[in-house]
Amino acid sequence: MDLEEAKEFKDRCSQCAAVSWGLTDEGKYYCTSCHNVTERSREVINTGAIPNTKIQAINRGLKRKRKLEKGWDWYVCEGFQHILYQQAKALQTLGVGPELKNEVLHNFWKRYLQKSKQAYCKNPVYTSRRKTTVLEDNPSHSDWDSEPELLSDLSCPSFVESGAESQPDVHTQKPFPIIKASQSETASVCSGSLDGVEYSLRKEKGIVKMTVPRTLAFCYLSLLWQRETITLADLLRFVEEEHIPYINAFQHFPEEMKLYGRDKGIFAIESWPNYEDIYKKVIEVATVLDLPRFPDITEDCYLHPNILCMKYLMEVNLPDEMHDLTCHVVKVTGMGEVDFLTFDPIAKKAKAVKYDVQAVAVIVVVLKLLFLLDDNLEWSLSNIAEKYNEKNEEDKPWFDFRKWYQVMKKAVDEKKQKWEEARAKYLWKSEKPLYHSAIDRSVVYKRREMVVSLQKQFSTLVGSTPTVEKQSPSSFQFSWTEEGGDRPCFHGHSLQGVLKQKGQSLMTKNSLYWLSTQKFCKSYCKHVTTYEESNFSLSYQFILNLFSFLLRIKTSLLHEEVSLIEKRLFKAKYSTTKKKSSRSRKARKC
């Protein structure tokens, strides 16, 4: 676009009657006031000075450019397929095996396309126009984006390791209805994809439309099937740290896949993924796909609570000796059983275990067993440990809860401040600008260039460049070393100050325990229990806030999981409470 070269065009605009013209990338005149594009294009002057060979080369270049401007014909499902492919590649970079991309996620996506009747079925919804370009029929093929043509009568192959044959037309979901938009609507609201307008209008019940958050559900289901060493909280944290494409994932689309108009509402995301929301979508997608029982979660699996408890004990700088107590709680409550841990979508009540939340909840219960966390006993035990450590400096130090609290509070406050600053500074605008229609493209790109130029000028004046350090991916957010100084390591500290010997076994000196929830909500209530900070001790609040920040979840979610574990651990106590309440009701009736 060149305003100087457009000055020679003196005609008035047919829309606003202004004489203010610019040139598009295709060489056509457009009005700078109302952005109306005319059919007139700039003529080449003094063509005699240009050799014929040069003219032919320029003509070929303009044809290629116009073809690029128009872009490919593509469907929304192909856009999501590209996002899944990029996310799978990112997971492979993080150390996940190639089988996740080439086999598991590949087959999950095929199954979804078949269930939604977009591909791999006899009567796909795309019949009047170009067929969707989707995955090859070979699940071991490594290149998802190889663009093979799909046959309309192709059926989905049998699911990996499921042993169940797919039935494309008997138990499949209701297909997406093809909604023909009116001419006026198509003219005013357009999209780069062929079905962007139709896709955004689909609101029929029973239809699970693909969204960007649901791509994470597909990724987590694939990780869970492979029993990889990435929990749901880790997956969402890697997304937030930009190790996995999510925000502005459409930037990785090929240049020929033009995205504008209604596509913006489908692929543009301006919020971080939420743990509870993605968890619900995981169950929803697994149920819709009719997936079989997942591979068993055994004791040697990373997702088993015994292993995850050790991981989070190291993360929050707690003594290694606590691991024996967490294992005991897991055994008594039956949470380490294979049937309890293994995800089974075809069960009557499909429910996936929140492995990471469950593990930290077990640690919270053990801390309550040891220190009670009533803002009294934990400080008394800390005084005893402090005196012992002063008198016996050469011996193995006793764990001092007060000292640990001070160290962790400082570390978490610093980490949380950096996290909040990074979120506040995050640039939601994509490098690849989005525009409402093809007519607005040149204007939007010009504005984007202007904004980038102003940012550079401002940073030059201030004397600083806006550099954002990208963190290297890690399963741990905190690191603790023995030579810590301000950040001492408590892993090797002893629990002798809070335990006592009774025969051949160790027991806690504290014989008291208070339940996080005295009475659970009724079955028809959506939540199990409520959490109000004012009703609980400051120590308990700190522990919940610590682990909630670690997993990026709501405090109430962790409190709920702690209450459920206590319900399994203290069955007799809860049954006694129920009997007392029933007796009091009978007495009132009498």
Side-chain angles (χ1 to χ4, degrees):
M1 183 181 70
D2 194 342
L3 296 176
E4 293 294 329
E5 294 181 1
K7 284 184 177 179
E8 61 189 28
F9 189 57
K10 301 295 183 181
D11 293 358
R12 290 187 176 276
C13 177
S14 59
Q15 298 289 337
C16 64
V19 184
S20 178
W21 300 99
L23 282 174
T24 65
D25 294 336
E26 296 178 353
K28 292 184 177 182
Y29 292 103
Y30 79 96
C31 179
T32 59
S33 299
C34 65
H35 308 300
N36 175 39
V37 181
T38 66
E39 294 297 325
R40 294 281 299 275
S41 58
R42 185 171 176 270
E43 297 178 359
V44 180
I45 304 173
N46 298 329
T47 55
I50 306 174
N52 292 333
T53 54
K54 296 283 184 180
I55 291 174
Q56 291 174 1
I58 289 171
N59 286 340
R60 284 198 298 270
L62 285 173
K63 284 180 181 178
R64 283 198 299 269
K65 188 174 184 181
R66 285 170 184 171
K67 187 176 181 180
L68 186 67
E69 287 292 329
K70 185 179 179 182
W72 289 338
D73 290 340
W74 60 282
Y75 290 97
V76 170
C77 66
E78 293 173 306
F80 286 118
Q81 177 175 303
H82 195 85
I83 293 175
L84 283 170
Y85 174 72
Q86 296 297 331
Q87 290 173 342
K89 284 206 305 182
L91 288 170
Q92 196 170 341
T93 305
L94 293 173
V96 174
E99 298 83 9
L100 181 135
K101 175 171 70 74
N102 300 336
E103 297 177 11
V104 183
L105 186 56
H106 185 281
N107 280 277
F108 283 172
W109 181 239
K110 275 186 175 182
R111 205 171 179 92
Y112 171 77
L113 293 175
Q114 182 195 20
K115 291 284 184 181
S116 59
K117 289 201 171 183
Q118 298 180 73
Y120 299 101
C121 59
K122 291 183 180 180
N123 299 309
V125 293
Y126 305 115
T127 54
S128 60
R129 290 174 285 186
R130 182 186 68 79
K131 298 169 186 173
T132 41
T133 301
V134 293
L135 308 175
E136 285 191 349
D137 195 33
N138 181 13
S140 62
H141 199 279
S142 60
D143 294 326
W144 281 32
D145 53 351
S146 52
E147 300 173 36
E149 283 296 327
L150 178 69
L151 298 176
S152 60
D153 59 347
L154 188 63
S155 60
C156 184
S158 59
F159 187 70
V160 179
E161 300 181 26
S162 68
E165 296 182 359
S166 58
Q167 299 176 356
D169 293 324
V170 181
H171 298 292
T172 52
Q173 262 189 307
K174 201 170 182 180
F176 286 144
I178 297 298
I179 302 171
K180 294 183 178 180
S182 61
Q183 291 181 356
S184 60
E185 184 181 31
T186 307
S188 60
V189 183
C190 51
S191 64
S193 59
L194 292 175
D195 61 334
V197 177
E198 298 168 2
Y199 195 89
S200 60
L201 293 175
R202 290 170 189 152
K203 294 181 181 179
E204 192 170 339
K205 291 183 179 180
I207 293 177
V208 176
K209 292 199 300 184
M210 193 63 186
T211 60
V212 178
R214 284 196 176 97
T215 60
L216 297 181
F218 272 86
C219 289
Y220 181 68
L221 283 171
S222 305
L223 291 168
L224 185 56
W225 185 274
Q226 288 293 98
R227 297 179 292 182
E228 293 286 348
T229 57
I230 296 179
T231 63
L232 180 56
D234 289 334
L235 177 68
L236 302 187
R237 182 166 55 84
F238 290 146
V239 167
E240 193 172 331
E241 294 173 359
E242 297 186 284
H243 299 300
I244 299 174
Y246 181 77
I247 305 292
N248 300 326
F250 57 84
Q251 291 185 147
H252 303 284
F253 285 6
E255 185 63 27
E256 294 82 2
M257 289 179 67
K258 300 301 175 183
L259 186 142
Y260 56 86
R262 288 294 181 94
D263 299 330
K264 181 179 178 180
I266 298 171
F267 293 102
I269 296 293
E270 294 187 354
S271 62
W272 298 108
N274 177 270
Y275 186 101
E276 293 179 72
D277 179 56
I278 301 300
Y279 171 78
K280 290 176 183 177
K281 284 178 170 53
V282 166
I283 298 176
E284 180 187 47
V285 170
T287 306
V288 166
L289 297 185
D290 196 24
L291 298 180
R293 179 185 166 102
F294 276 51
D296 292 344
I297 304 296
T298 54
E299 288 188 4
D300 59 343
C301 179
Y302 177 79
L303 297 176
H304 195 276
N306 289 346
I307 297 178
L308 281 179
C309 281
M310 174 58 79
K311 187 249 186 186
Y312 289 116
L313 286 172
M314 295 172 63
E315 180 84 79
V316 297
N317 202 11
L318 286 169
D320 298 334
E321 292 182 9
M322 282 184 63
H323 187 241
D324 293 335
L325 296 172
T326 59
C327 291
H328 183 67
V329 171
V330 169
K331 184 179 179 180
V332 171
T333 55
M335 294 188 302
E337 300 295 329
V338 174
D339 290 337
F340 179 82
L341 295 171
T342 305
F343 181 38
D344 188 2
I346 59 176
K348 289 184 179 180
K349 292 184 179 180
K351 184 180 179 182
V353 176
K354 303 182 182 82
Y355 301 98
D356 35 24
V357 181
Q358 177 187 261
V360 297
V362 170
I363 296 175
V364 174
V365 171
V366 170
L367 285 171
K368 288 178 68 177
L369 288 169
L370 292 173
F371 301 99
L372 193 59
L373 301 182
D374 65 340
D375 288 343
N376 185 17
L377 182 63
E378 61 268 30
W379 309 127
S380 300
L381 293 172
S382 298
N383 294 333
I384 297 171
E386 185 179 0
K387 291 178 182 178
Y388 175 86
N389 293 335
E390 289 176 356
K391 294 178 181 179
N392 305 275
E393 294 181 357
E394 297 181 359
D395 294 343
K396 189 176 182 179
W398 285 5
F399 178 69
D400 187 342
F401 185 88
R402 180 187 290 108
K403 191 175 181 181
W404 171 83
Y405 165 81
Q406 293 170 350
V407 171
M408 287 305 302
K409 190 175 188 310
K410 182 180 179 182
V412 171
D413 288 345
E414 292 175 358
K415 193 82 173 178
K416 197 170 185 179
Q417 185 179 356
K418 291 180 181 178
W419 174 71
E420 289 174 348
E421 288 176 356
R423 279 205 163 190
K425 293 178 182 178
Y426 187 80
L427 298 176
W428 293 97
K429 292 289 183 182
S430 62
E431 295 178 4
K432 185 178 181 180
L434 291 174
Y435 42 92
H436 190 268
S437 64
I439 298 174
D440 301 329
R441 180 182 180 277
S442 55
V443 180
V444 172
Y445 270 83
K446 188 66 178 178
R447 286 176 181 172
R448 181 62 180 168
E449 290 175 5
M450 189 182 300
V451 169
V452 173
S453 177
L454 288 172
Q455 286 177 343
K456 288 181 180 179
Q457 293 176 23
F458 181 75
S459 60
T460 304
L461 291 171
V462 174
S464 63
T465 54
T467 56
V468 179
E469 295 182 3
K470 192 174 181 179
Q471 300 178 2
S472 56
S474 174
S475 296
F476 292 90
Q477 300 178 58
F478 296 98
S479 60
W480 311 98
T481 56
E482 294 294 339
E483 301 173 0
D486 294 338
R487 296 169 64 119
C489 178
F490 293 89
H491 292 158
H493 287 213
S494 173
L495 293 176
Q496 289 184 15
V498 293
L499 297 175
K500 62 181 179 180
Q501 191 78 28
K502 189 174 182 180
Q504 296 182 350
S505 59
L506 288 172
M507 295 187 67
T508 60
K509 290 183 178 179
N510 166 42
S511 59
L512 302 175
Y513 193 92
W514 55 272
L515 297 173
S516 300
T517 300
Q518 296 292 333
K519 185 179 179 181
F520 286 86
C521 295
K522 295 180 180 179
S523 58
Y524 57 78
C525 188
K526 291 183 179 179
H527 59 277
V528 178
T529 180
T530 55
Y531 173 73
E532 295 182 9
E533 286 190 348
S534 58
N535 297 335
F536 299 95
S537 62
L538 296 176
S539 299
Y540 182 71
Q541 290 179 38
F542 171 76
I543 297 295
L544 288 191
N545 290 329
L546 166 63
F547 284 112
S548 299
F549 172 72
L550 200 66
L551 302 182
R552 308 293 194 269
I553 60 175
K554 293 181 180 178
T555 314
S556 57
L557 179 62
L558 179 54
H559 173 75
E560 179 181 316
E561 196 69 29
V562 171
S563 302
L564 292 173
I565 293 175
E566 291 176 347
K567 191 177 182 181
R568 300 175 71 93
L569 188 61
F570 302 105
K571 289 181 180 178
K573 206 166 187 178
Y574 276 105
S575 60
T576 304
T577 306
K578 285 182 180 179
K579 288 179 182 178
K580 287 182 179 179
S581 60
S582 62
R583 287 174 185 172
S584 61
R585 286 174 185 172
K586 288 180 180 179
R588 287 175 185 175
K589 287 180 180 179
C590 294

